[in-house]
Amino acid sequence: PYITVDHEHNFFELGLVHSGPCDWVLDNRRRVRVAPGESILIAPNQIHREQGRQRNTVRLSWIGFACGADQA
């Protein structure tokens, strides 16, 4: 399986699933299934990880960005 460790960022992260599906585990308790063609927006400082059932079938892209003058 494809599994990342729990982590967080100080910026927004947009996760895009190209093939999968892939689950995002938020704050170590809420699981969100994201299907191919769908995306998920992770808030700054939210602990999360990605989990796919088969490593070779999960294809993801991430875009990180900040909003607001204090995060520029």
Side-chain angles (χ1 to χ4, degrees):
Y2 169 76
I3 301 173
T4 63
V5 297
D6 286 340
H7 63 282
E8 61 185 301
H9 314 281
N10 64 350
F11 51 83
F12 286 95
E13 181 179 58
L14 181 63
L16 306 139
V17 178
H18 303 287
S19 64
C22 189
D23 292 343
W24 264 258
V25 180
L26 309 175
D27 299 321
N28 208 24
R29 63 180 186 275
R30 182 172 170 222
R31 183 178 301 271
V32 178
R33 169 73 43 102
V34 184
E38 295 180 339
S39 60
I40 184 170
L41 182 62
I42 306 295
N45 305 311
Q46 183 167 37
I47 298 171
H48 62 282
R49 69 179 177 270
E50 298 88 36
Q51 295 183 330
R53 292 184 181 182
Q54 295 179 336
R55 183 175 184 79
N56 294 337
T57 62
V58 176
R59 297 284 184 259
L60 308 172
S61 294
W62 299 269
I63 301 170
F65 59 95
C67 295
D70 61 333
Q71 295 181 339

